[in-house]
Amino acid sequence: GRECIIVDELPYQVNKADMIKKTADLINEKKLEGISMIRDESDRNGMRIVYILKRDAIPNIVINKLYKHTALQSSFSVNNIALVKGRPQLLNVKEMIHYFVEHRHDVVVRRTEFELRKAEERAHILEGLIIASDNIDEVIALIRSSSNGEEAREKLIKRFELSEIQARAIVEMRLRQLTGLEQDKLRNEYNDLIATITDLKDILARKERRMDIIKEELIEIKEKYGDERRSQIEYAGGDLSIEDMIADEQVVITISHAGYIKRTPITEYKTQNRGGVGQKASTTRDEDFLEDIFVGTNHQYMLFFTEKGKCFWMRVYEIPEGSRTSKGRAIQNLINIEQDDNVKAVICTQDIKDEEYINSHYVIMCTKKGVVKKTSLEQYSRPRTNGINAITIREGDTLLEAKLTTGDSHVMLGLKSGKAIRFDEAKTRAMGRNASGVRGIRLADDNDEVIGMVAVNDMDSNILVVSEKGYGKRSSLDDYRETNRGGKGVKTISVTEKTGGLVALKNVTDDDGLMIINKSGVAIRIDVKNLRVMGRATQGVRLINLKGNDSIAAVAKVAQEEDSEINEDGSVADLKSDGMTVAKDDSEE
């Protein structure tokens, strides 16, 4: 009932026993996880190594880790240095083919020139022999009247206007060549040579003829020596991306007030009922508290926006992983953020290298003083190590939130005083990265500020608000009439001393979960479907019991858990929508 990885072939020069021993050592050292047993089932029928996986292992990730850490995948380097016109040069495949064809062309030209020279030399001799055979009686008489060979050659040259070479060939000619048959052979050979010379001259005159010869010769070599390729040539070669070894799981990213960041698998947080006391979510330093919580997946790209208007770029899996109770890592160690700056917003995008994707999406930002700004995502597709300017922040203001939109969203801003405004995204034109934006909502007084912004695409979604004393509610989006940007907004929650000021504004549906973290580090996770839809002006219900002077630090949406099943040990496992499971005891439900 377990999934297995079966290996029936090893790379060149890899010893099977050594590879199995190395793999076992890596498993014992915890460098290679997910394998529970290795079996060598090789016999006379062939090689067979079976890796039996653990029940919670993901086969593709285990395979890629085997490729990376063991000899199951081996690379053989090729140094493509060749002498090009007498100088060593490093060549790519296209250049190698180009220079190889040039070389073959040079070979064909030189070979043809050689064959033409030899053919012309032979034809020259044959012309002399044919002249001699046509005047055989006179030639014989001339040779017989000569005292030696040198005199005979001179008489022949003078009489028949022959060359030195032709005269020597005639003197050295044997008697059997005087027969009629041999004379016919001379003429046939001469005619064939004339045809060959004409063909060779045509080859030297036309490049396309030479290229056809190169093709024919290569096809002939292929037919003579070509056999089935034993190695597989793949486009990716031996390169292995780190993404292949990291599961694209949903994770919780938390950032503390002092700038400590971590990512934690969402499975570490268990669902509780509304009104529970929560469970310890993070250990913080003295006088520090968790300020932001975000949910994303490992393979997504992340854009970090700071309160000074800077934008930084990172992959989710690059954020150090920590347990639910760990402190995390200082964000200054991960991105080059200034000491007095803080991350205020995070956007998870699919692929900022996809031109079509980045040109069809926008980033909408808002500040605490109610300024909003829309910029094309394409403006953030070329990040720099030291960050790029996302928005010019006016004096006394800071960036609060940034959202990814498709250009046709409805934007909502919520104020600490309990007011909210809703307007169409189209009412905010796209600006450059250095622009400061336009007014989104008018504040009630100098102490008022924006606490949240949402960009809604689904008109059936609800608006959820949470106050600092742990009260919250959700209302229909239709309760908030659409207005022009820059207005005062309408009441979204009754702010009283019991509820405290508004701290969060989210758009939710029944399929969402809710994660709430207090400044003391206590977290609770509840399902949104447990919250009934209320009127816009009510004060809501208690979402979490706060102790003492504690208050809400951050609120984030998470995926809702769906079905349940019974494990072999009798505990309940919640099945996630992405296929992950979270085991929990009945007592903790």
Side-chain angles (χ1 to χ4, degrees):
R2 301 280 188 92
E3 287 192 276
C4 299
I5 296 172
I6 299 173
V7 177
D8 57 13
E9 188 176 5
L10 291 181
Y12 178 60
Q13 290 184 333
V14 172
N15 183 276
K16 180 186 66 176
D18 290 344
M19 192 195 76
I20 292 175
K21 183 178 183 302
K22 171 71 173 176
T23 306
D25 292 340
L26 289 170
I27 294 171
N28 293 332
E29 294 169 4
K30 305 294 184 183
K31 292 182 180 178
L32 191 60
E33 298 179 348
I35 298 175
S36 64
M37 188 186 305
I38 305 175
R39 279 207 309 262
D40 184 3
E41 299 180 357
S42 305
D43 55 19
R44 59 186 177 83
N45 295 321
M47 181 180 297
R48 182 181 169 92
I49 305 170
V50 180
Y51 297 93
I52 301 174
L53 305 185
K54 295 179 180 178
R55 292 190 183 279
D56 58 347
I58 301 174
N60 286 339
I61 294 178
V62 177
I63 289 174
N64 286 321
K65 285 186 176 180
L66 283 170
Y67 283 150
K68 184 173 180 65
H69 297 294
T70 72
L72 193 58
Q73 174 175 276
S74 299
S75 298
F76 295 88
S77 300
V78 178
N79 195 1
N80 294 329
I81 292 182
L83 289 175
V84 179
K85 297 177 182 177
R87 299 181 62 183
Q89 188 173 333
L90 183 64
L91 306 177
N92 58 32
V93 175
K94 184 177 179 181
E95 291 169 337
M96 282 193 295
I97 294 172
H98 170 73
Y99 287 118
F100 174 75
V101 172
E102 271 195 358
H103 166 68
R104 291 302 306 163
H105 181 264
D106 188 44
V107 168
V108 170
V109 169
R110 292 169 63 184
R111 183 181 66 198
T112 305
E113 288 174 344
F114 173 79
E115 291 175 351
L116 177 61
R117 187 173 68 250
K118 290 295 184 183
E120 288 177 338
E121 290 174 357
R122 178 61 179 165
H124 181 64
I125 292 173
L126 289 175
E127 285 175 355
L129 295 177
I130 291 171
I131 291 173
S133 65
D134 288 343
N135 303 276
I136 190 64
D137 293 337
E138 187 178 353
V139 169
I140 292 173
L142 192 148
I143 293 175
R144 287 186 65 185
S145 64
S146 302
S147 59
N148 53 49
E150 188 66 31
E151 184 182 347
R153 282 199 301 273
E154 290 175 359
K155 288 180 179 180
L156 288 171
I157 293 172
K158 186 175 181 180
R159 168 67 183 84
F160 298 106
E161 297 181 352
L162 302 175
S163 67
E164 179 75 25
I165 296 173
Q166 288 174 324
R168 183 178 288 109
I170 292 171
V171 170
E172 295 173 354
M173 185 171 57
R174 297 180 179 182
L175 288 175
R176 67 180 176 85
Q177 289 182 263
L178 299 178
T179 63
L181 184 62
E182 288 293 334
Q183 290 184 33
D184 290 340
K185 281 186 178 180
L186 285 176
R187 284 177 168 79
N188 291 337
E189 184 183 355
Y190 179 75
N191 293 332
D192 291 343
L193 274 175
I194 293 301
T196 301
I197 289 170
T198 303
D199 186 56
L200 293 174
K201 286 181 177 179
D202 183 64
I203 291 172
L204 292 175
R206 296 168 54 206
K207 187 175 181 179
E208 58 268 23
R209 279 286 312 274
R210 301 194 290 272
M211 290 301 173
D212 288 338
I213 291 171
I214 293 172
K215 291 178 187 176
E216 291 167 5
E217 290 177 349
L218 288 175
I219 291 172
E220 184 182 344
I221 291 173
K222 175 186 174 184
E223 292 173 349
K224 187 175 181 180
Y225 300 106
D227 54 7
E228 188 176 349
R229 183 182 292 281
R230 299 184 185 183
S231 56
Q232 290 183 348
I233 306 297
E234 295 183 358
Y235 175 76
D239 295 337
L240 187 65
S241 171
I242 190 170
E243 295 179 30
D244 298 330
M245 297 181 292
I246 298 173
D248 195 19
E249 298 175 331
Q250 201 171 29
V251 292
V252 177
I253 300 142
T254 54
I255 303 173
S256 75
H257 182 70
Y260 286 83
I261 186 171
K262 68 175 179 179
R263 64 181 168 94
T264 307
I266 201 169
T267 53
E268 290 205 18
Y269 296 93
K270 300 180 177 67
T271 300
Q272 298 181 2
N273 292 324
R274 178 176 66 80
V277 297
Q279 61 188 135
K280 193 69 175 176
S282 179
T283 304
T284 56
R285 293 171 174 266
D286 294 340
E287 300 179 359
D288 190 15
F289 59 88
L290 291 180
E291 192 169 74
D292 294 293
I293 178 172
F294 307 100
V295 177
T297 61
N298 278 326
H299 285 194
Q300 286 181 326
Y301 291 77
M302 298 194 67
L303 299 177
F304 289 79
F305 294 85
T306 70
E307 61 183 19
K308 286 189 174 183
K310 281 289 194 78
C311 175
F312 296 86
W313 182 93
M314 186 182 286
R315 301 298 293 271
V316 172
Y317 61 72
E318 294 175 336
I319 298 172
E321 183 173 353
S323 65
R324 196 179 66 238
T325 57
S326 65
K327 294 182 177 67
R329 286 270 302 279
I331 201 167
Q332 284 87 350
N333 295 337
L334 304 177
I335 57 178
N336 294 333
I337 188 174
E338 296 178 13
Q339 292 293 330
D340 58 343
D341 205 358
N342 293 302
V343 172
K344 298 300 293 182
V346 172
I347 288 180
C348 295
T349 68
Q350 297 302 317
D351 187 358
I352 65 171
K353 304 300 180 185
D354 184 344
E355 191 170 338
E356 182 179 349
Y357 177 81
I358 60 178
N359 285 320
S360 62
H361 286 75
Y362 299 88
V363 175
I364 286 194
M365 290 164 278
C366 74
T367 70
K368 286 192 174 183
K369 295 299 183 182
V371 174
V372 296
K373 177 191 170 186
K374 181 168 80 170
T375 308
S376 171
L377 182 61
E378 190 273 336
Q379 299 272 332
Y380 304 99
S381 61
R382 295 172 294 277
R384 292 194 293 267
T385 305
N386 293 326
I388 55 178
N389 290 326
I391 181 174
T392 299
I393 300 295
R394 297 167 183 169
E395 186 176 354
D397 201 0
T398 59
L399 184 69
L400 174 71
E401 188 63 271
K403 297 290 184 184
L404 188 67
T405 70
T406 57
D408 53 3
S409 304
H410 283 253
V411 179
M412 283 195 65
L413 302 175
L415 295 177
K416 183 179 179 181
S417 58
K419 292 287 188 74
I421 191 171
R422 170 190 169 192
F423 58 88
D424 195 330
E425 179 188 345
K427 291 187 167 72
T428 305
R429 64 179 178 85
M431 306 178 183
R433 284 193 294 107
N434 292 318
S436 57
V438 294
R439 176 178 290 172
I441 188 171
R442 197 178 298 274
L443 306 184
D445 52 50
D446 291 341
N447 295 324
D448 200 9
E449 63 182 28
V450 178
I451 52 85
M453 176 187 75
V454 295
V456 184
N457 290 318
D458 182 7
M459 295 299 108
D460 294 330
S461 63
N462 300 137
I463 301 301
L464 183 138
V465 291
V466 181
S467 70
E468 60 184 347
K469 297 296 184 182
Y471 283 82
K473 69 179 179 72
R474 64 172 175 150
S475 305
S476 171
L477 180 64
D478 293 334
D479 285 353
Y480 301 87
R481 60 185 173 86
E482 185 179 336
T483 63
N484 290 323
R485 64 168 178 79
K488 292 183 177 180
V490 296
K491 182 182 289 187
T492 183
I493 192 171
S494 294
V495 174
T496 63
E497 187 175 344
K498 183 174 75 171
T499 63
L502 206 61
V503 294
L505 178 136
K506 306 287 179 184
N507 61 305
V508 296
T509 65
D510 282 345
D511 295 329
D512 291 322
L514 195 64
M515 181 82 76
I516 303 174
I517 295 187
N518 303 342
K519 291 185 177 180
S520 60
V522 174
I524 186 171
R525 181 176 173 186
I526 61 176
D527 289 334
V528 170
K529 64 183 179 183
N530 291 333
L531 300 174
R532 64 181 178 87
V533 178
M534 304 179 185
R536 172 170 56 78
T538 58
Q539 73 175 11
V541 296
R542 186 183 295 276
L543 302 180
I544 183 171
N545 287 319
L546 303 178
K547 298 178 180 178
N549 295 323
D550 201 3
S551 59
I552 302 295
V555 179
K557 289 191 301 182
V558 295
Q560 181 199 32
E561 293 175 348
E562 295 176 351
D563 302 318
S564 295
E565 68 176 9
I566 303 300
N567 292 329
E568 293 178 353
D569 58 3
S571 62
V572 177
D574 288 327
L575 288 178
K576 310 291 294 175
S577 58
D578 56 6
M580 297 183 294
T581 61
V582 185
K584 65 180 182 180
D585 297 333
D586 293 339
S587 59
E588 294 179 337
E589 266 188 19

